[in-house]
Amino acid sequence: MTTPRKALALISGGLDSLLAARVIQEQGIHVEGVNFFTGFCVEGHTHAIRKKDQAKPKRNNALWVAEQLGIKLHIVDIVEEYKDVVLNPTHGYGANLNPCLDCKIFMVHKAQEWIDKHGFDFIITGEVIGQRPMSQRKDTMPVVADQSGAGDRLLRPLCAQNLPQTMPEREGWVDRERLYGFSGRSRKPQMALAKQYGFEDYATPAGGCCFLTDENYSHKLGDLWQARGERRYELDDIMLLKVGRHLRPRPYFKMIISREEGEARFLEGYRKQFRHMRTVSHIGPMALIDASRFDQEDAQIAASLLARFSQGRDAPSVEVEYIDELGVAHGFTVPPMSPAQIPKEWYL
Amino acid sequence: MSRHHLDARRLLCPMPVIRTQDRIATLAVGDILEVHATDPGAINDIGAWCRINGHKVLQAQNDDGEILMILEVGQS
Ligand code: SF4
C-alpha cells in the first residue's frame, strides 16, 4: 500500500475551511491544519477580558474545527512578520485597514514553507470565488497562487471546478469530480454541505476573520499611527485597541478607560508601562494614559473625564489618584465632566 | 521523564496554547509540563490542543483566575 498524500489545510475556524478540509479527507488524503496568529484575530481575547463574557462557554474555533475533523492543528505565531503585511500591503487595503489579498498571499506562502519543511504535498484553503470582494475573486485566485510561491500546489476544494486544474488533481491524488464549484456570496451551498457532513454549531463570523475588517478598530489603529507620527505597532498596542473606551482629549494624549471589572483588571496589567488613573472617592474605572507629554493641566482634564465614567458622575467632585510616568502618585479633586462637555471627536 | 514549567500568565489566548505547543515540541514522550496561565480560555484551549495532538491533561484547575494545567507529553 502506498503512503497517503499529505495536505496542509489553512484553518481559520470558520465553516469554509472546515468543509474544505473534510472534502479532502474524504478522498483519503492525510490532512493537518495550520492556524496563523496575527495578533488581530477575533478569537478569544475580548471574551477572555470582559467579565460578563467569562461565564459563557468559550472556545477557540480553529481548535474546535480541528477536533471536529480529527486532525492535528499547528498554531503559528506570525505577529512580527505580519507587521509588514499590515503596514505595507502591495495590493492595498479593503474597506478598512484589512490587507486581505496580501494577507492571503502571506499565509499561503507561510504554508508553502511549512509543507516544504515537513514533507507535505499540497495546501488547501476554504476560499470560494466571489465570497469576499477583495481577496476571493476569480482574478485574485491566481495572484495568491503565484505570489505566494505555492503555484499549482494550492487547491481550493470548494471552488476547484471553476479554476484550472491543480497538481493534486493532475497527479490523480484527488478526484476533481468530487470537488466543488461554489461561487458567489451565498452561503447556502456551504450550509447544505455542512448538513450533509453532519457539522453543527460551527462559527459564523460576520465581516471577517480579524479585527482589521472592523471600522471602529481600524479607526483606532489609524489614530495610533497618527498620534505617534509613524506607522508601527507592538502586540500590546493592538491588544489594547480591543479593550475599553478610547478617548483622545489632546493630540498628544489618549485615555483607555475600562468599561467593567474584567477590563479594569486587564488594564492593571499595564500599570508599569503607562501613566494611569483611578477614582478614589467613588467606585469607577481604571484608565491608562498613552501620552507623548502630559502636564498638570492635562491631568486635570483626564481626571474630570475619568470621573464622568465613575459612580460619582453626578457628585460635585470626585477624588482621583494619578500615577505619573515615574510611578509617583498625585491626588486630584475634580468636578466630573458632563456629557455635553465631552466633544464627540474625543471618542475614537 | 522530567518535569518542566511554563509561565504563560498575562498572555491571552491563543498565546498560552502557542507557548505550550512550542515548549512541548522540545520535550520527550512522558515528560510533564506544568503550565501557569491567567486567561480563563486557556483551560479549554490547551485541553483541546492536547486532545487533538495526542497529549494528556493530568490536571486542570482554576484557582480564582490562576490557572494551572499539568500535561503529560504523548506520542505525536
Ligand atoms: S480578514 Fe484579516 S485575516 Fe482575513 S484575509 Fe482579511 S486581513 Fe487576513
Side-chain angles (χ1 to χ4, degrees):
Chain A
M1 204 182 108
T2 53
T3 47
R5 291 287 163 183
K6 296 192 225 169
L8 181 68
L10 266 69
I11 300 291
S12 64
L15 176 59
D16 294 358
S17 51
L18 169 66
L19 294 174
R22 176 46 58 90
V23 167
I24 294 304
Q25 274 183 314
E26 294 270 296
Q27 299 211 18
I29 305 284
H30 171 84
V31 177
E32 294 188 15
V34 69
N35 175 259
F36 293 110
F37 175 59
T38 64
F40 295 101
C41 314
V42 180
E43 288 301 333
H45 305 122
T46 31
H47 304 290
I49 298 164
R50 297 190 76 164
K51 195 172 168 83
K52 72 175 175 54
D53 291 336
Q54 288 188 7
K56 289 187 205 155
K58 280 171 299 292
R59 69 175 192 208
N60 173 305
N61 285 314
L63 285 165
W64 181 83
V65 161
E67 210 167 4
Q68 297 301 302
L69 293 163
I71 63 171
K72 283 189 184 170
L73 181 73
H74 311 278
I75 307 179
V76 183
D77 171 359
I78 56 165
V79 172
E80 279 306 313
E81 291 168 274
Y82 194 73
K83 287 178 181 171
D84 192 47
V85 177
V86 178
L87 298 174
N88 308 301
T90 319
H91 299 280
Y93 297 106
N96 296 297
L97 286 174
N98 48 314
C100 291
L101 187 48
D102 288 85
C103 172
K104 279 270 151 61
I105 293 168
F106 181 72
M107 288 186 181
V108 174
H109 173 71
K110 295 303 289 179
Q112 177 63 37
E113 283 180 356
W114 196 97
I115 68 166
D116 284 345
K117 191 167 159 201
H118 294 88
F120 275 49
D121 300 291
F122 63 102
I123 300 163
I124 53 181
T125 69
E127 289 166 288
V128 168
I129 294 174
Q131 184 92 170
R132 293 194 193 278
M134 182 182 183
S135 57
Q136 299 191 27
R137 297 194 316 253
K138 186 142 193 169
D139 58 326
T140 61
M141 295 274 167
V143 175
V144 175
D146 293 345
Q147 296 189 8
S148 64
D152 65 358
R153 284 179 183 262
L154 173 60
L155 173 67
R156 286 99 164 189
L158 301 186
C159 63
Q161 288 180 353
N162 302 324
L163 292 167
Q165 206 180 38
T166 58
M167 181 198 265
E169 297 161 85
R170 207 172 49 241
E171 296 291 329
W173 304 336
V174 302
D175 176 3
R176 186 174 172 93
E177 292 305 308
R178 289 161 63 206
L179 302 175
Y180 291 86
F182 299 167
S183 70
R185 294 189 70 96
S186 166
R187 306 284 301 152
K188 288 210 181 96
Q190 284 95 317
M191 283 151 78
L193 190 57
K195 196 162 178 207
Q196 190 184 316
Y197 284 137
F199 292 132
E200 285 166 20
D201 196 24
Y202 42 81
T204 45
C209 29
C210 85
F211 268 106
L212 291 168
T213 57
D214 183 85
E215 187 180 346
N216 186 249
Y217 186 89
S218 291
H219 175 67
K220 285 188 277 191
L221 183 57
D223 166 80
L224 184 91
W225 290 341
Q226 199 180 3
R228 292 200 176 151
E230 57 176 335
R231 286 159 53 90
R232 63 169 183 84
Y233 63 82
E234 297 304 326
L235 183 59
D236 278 339
D237 293 327
I238 59 178
M239 290 294 164
L240 283 169
L241 293 183
K242 299 175 188 174
V243 187
R245 279 186 188 91
H246 290 234
L247 289 102
R248 181 176 292 289
R250 295 288 179 268
Y252 50 88
F253 89 82
K254 169 174 106 163
M255 296 178 75
I256 306 173
I257 304 176
S258 63
R259 288 171 295 196
E260 44 81 274
E261 207 187 315
E263 288 191 341
R265 203 173 318 135
F266 180 76
L267 295 182
E268 298 246 344
Y270 287 90
R271 273 177 314 182
K272 292 209 169 73
Q273 286 147 267
F274 289 89
R275 297 171 169 98
H276 54 276
M277 281 185 176
R278 268 216 107 126
T279 49
V280 180
S281 56
H282 297 80
I283 293 173
M286 157 90 193
L288 299 181
I289 295 156
D290 185 8
S292 52
R293 60 188 162 91
F294 196 70
D295 62 20
Q296 289 291 311
E297 201 181 312
D298 297 324
Q300 291 274 357
I301 294 169
S304 283
L305 183 54
L306 182 69
R308 150 81 192 110
F309 295 104
S310 76
Q311 288 188 4
R313 64 179 69 88
D314 299 319
S317 64
V318 171
E319 281 170 48
V320 172
E321 184 184 58
Y322 160 56
I323 311 292
D324 69 17
E325 70 278 25
L326 301 172
V328 179
H330 307 259
F332 287 91
T333 303
V334 290
M337 273 187 197
S338 69
Q341 285 173 304
I342 307 175
K344 263 208 213 71
E345 310 76 69
W346 286 12
Y347 284 92
L348 298 175
Chain B
M1 185 206 94
S2 51
R3 207 172 176 95
H4 305 262
H5 291 264
L6 172 67
D7 183 358
R9 281 174 302 190
R10 286 204 51 228
L11 296 177
L12 296 177
C13 281
M15 283 314 285
V17 188
I18 296 177
R19 292 280 163 84
T20 302
Q21 164 193 271
D22 294 352
R23 182 51 112 44
I24 282 187
T26 69
L27 303 181
V29 176
D31 280 0
I32 301 294
L33 180 65
E34 274 189 22
V35 183
H36 296 266
T38 44
D39 182 337
I43 290 197
N44 280 335
D45 291 359
I46 294 176
W49 183 84
C50 285
R51 282 196 299 280
I52 60 183
N53 289 287
H55 309 293
K56 222 192 255 168
V57 177
L58 302 179
Q59 198 180 320
Q61 66 189 56
N62 184 345
D63 229 337
D64 198 25
E66 291 286 328
I67 288 151
L68 170 66
M69 297 194 72
I70 304 181
L71 316 175
E72 184 185 319
V73 180
Q75 205 107 40
S76 65

